[in-house]
Amino acid sequence: MADLPLLLLLLWALAAPALAADPRSMLRELEAQARAANPAFKGFSAERGAAFYRSERPGGDGKPVACASCHTPDPKAVGRTRANKDIQPLAPGANRERFTDPAKVDKWFRRNCNDVLGRACSVEEKGDFLAYLISVK
Amino acid sequence: MKQSLRVMVLVVAVGATGGLLASGGDESRGRLPAVTHAQWQAECSACHLAYHPGLLPERSWHRIMAGLDQHFGENASLDAATAADIDRFLAANAADRSDHRRSRRIAGSIAPGAAPLRISDTPWFVREHREIAAATWRRPKIGSPANCAACHQGADQGDFSERRIRIPK
């Protein structure tokens, strides 16, 4: 019986990493980063995120490219990779697995920001983008 | 007596043919050996079919894995440890390290000094797909030669046998 608190602590420790990662907690994490970098930070905007998602930039092969090129203009829809494979919806409202694994989120921001923007995304861009995806119902 | 002998011969012959089909039929002969590697499967299949390592020689896989930051126009970079692990797996099961008939043909079709980055650039692939018109490759359900599974129903199990081909309209 004396082991019960220890057991609970162990269970908490095991469950904590899984609980820590969901779209809203990731958004709060980005907010904290944005605020730390810029004391005048006014908060993320789903509207700016929507514009960011759709705005086209010149791609590597000369063709315009946007997030929406592969993920489709509707983040709730199934997209398609350049190799013609399905991409499951990006909006957490349509795909519960999205924004639950920080390593996966980091990996794809790193790759896709480079592909679409030719540089890394700023914290503000990531936050606006995520705020938009969370807002899509 | 004569009659029963005849029946027995027939039974044995049918049984033997069945066993032959089961062990050496189109399916098992055509299929590349089953391979599993969790990271190869997870990372490579995010964008395309996790192409069987037996479809390219070792030198091609090393070139591909060394250039993931510019992977056919896309940034597919991985952390160094994951990339090295997948590279080892691909090399160990590469076409030129396999004794599978199809893999041997692929490896044999490539010039010794060449290390193609695309399976579809190997002379073997070009020869096997010579009947496919350019317009067929461009059909919406196919898109490009990268999309093996569009026509090869067993592509994800390394099965490229003729009888499992269905070309979408």
Side-chain angles (χ1 to χ4, degrees):
Chain A
M1 234 19 201
D3 286 343
L4 191 63
L6 196 66
L7 188 72
L8 286 175
L9 190 70
L10 186 73
L11 280 175
W12 176 81
L14 286 172
L19 291 174
D22 66 69
R24 288 183 188 281
S25 69
M26 281 192 199
L27 193 61
R28 282 195 297 274
E29 172 63 27
L30 287 168
E31 256 162 17
Q33 286 176 27
R35 196 155 283 130
N38 172 18
F41 172 69
K42 294 275 198 304
F44 296 130
S45 148
E47 266 175 48
R48 271 199 312 266
F52 177 83
Y53 180 83
R54 291 189 181 90
S55 66
E56 291 187 326
R57 295 136 183 115
D61 56 1
K63 273 189 244 163
V65 63
C67 311
S69 310
C70 294
H71 292 286
T72 82
D74 175 7
K76 296 194 302 298
V78 173
R80 222 161 181 213
T81 69
R82 288 177 178 140
N84 293 292
K85 197 173 159 163
D86 285 353
I87 307 173
Q88 294 313 306
L90 200 49
N95 180 357
R96 293 170 59 114
E97 281 179 33
R98 288 297 183 190
F99 300 96
T100 59
D101 176 351
K104 185 173 176 181
V105 171
D106 283 348
K107 180 176 81 179
W108 286 103
F109 268 136
R110 176 171 57 75
R111 289 174 168 182
N112 290 352
C113 291
N114 253 300
D115 272 345
V116 178
L117 279 74
R119 59 168 172 81
C121 292
S122 67
V123 174
E124 287 80 6
E125 285 166 336
K126 289 181 187 176
D128 290 345
F129 177 83
L130 182 51
Y132 164 59
L133 292 178
I134 290 173
S135 78
V136 174
K137 298 292 180 229
Chain B
M1 183 63 196
K2 223 178 180 179
Q3 181 67 29
S4 65
L5 190 70
R6 204 174 291 154
V7 169
M8 223 165 79
V9 168
L10 191 71
V11 166
V12 169
V14 167
T17 311
L20 209 66
L21 281 175
S23 66
D26 191 23
E27 195 177 327
S28 57
R29 228 173 356 112
R31 190 179 291 189
L32 291 164
V35 285
T36 51
H37 187 278
Q39 282 172 311
W40 161 69
Q41 190 66 45
E43 298 297 346
C44 306
S45 76
C47 299
H48 53 68
L49 176 82
Y51 302 116
H52 195 289
L55 294 169
L56 279 177
E58 184 180 347
R59 57 191 187 277
S60 289
W61 290 124
H62 289 319
R63 263 189 85 197
I64 289 166
M65 294 306 291
L68 284 181
D69 55 331
Q70 288 178 47
H71 188 66
F72 305 104
E74 230 159 301
N75 184 331
S77 55
L78 292 165
D79 63 88
T82 306
D85 198 30
I86 295 175
D87 185 49
R88 271 193 299 276
F89 160 77
L90 293 169
N93 296 281
D96 50 345
R97 294 248 208 130
S98 169
D99 56 6
H100 189 270
R101 184 180 54 112
R102 200 184 302 277
S103 290
R104 282 209 316 266
R105 283 187 188 162
I106 296 168
S109 79
I110 302 166
L117 295 176
R118 295 174 193 269
I119 299 161
S120 55
D121 281 347
T122 65
W124 165 84
F125 183 100
V126 173
R127 191 168 64 233
E128 293 288 324
H129 297 84
R130 62 187 180 274
E131 290 163 16
I132 310 297
T136 308
W137 290 118
R138 286 194 298 268
R139 287 179 190 167
K141 285 184 179 165
I142 303 174
S144 83
N147 193 4
C148 309
C151 305
H152 294 277
Q153 312 292 302
D156 56 342
Q157 299 116 46
D159 183 357
F160 296 93
S161 58
E162 196 90 18
R163 79 185 166 78
R164 294 197 67 193
I165 299 172
R166 305 272 182 286
I167 300 174
K169 294 282 171 226

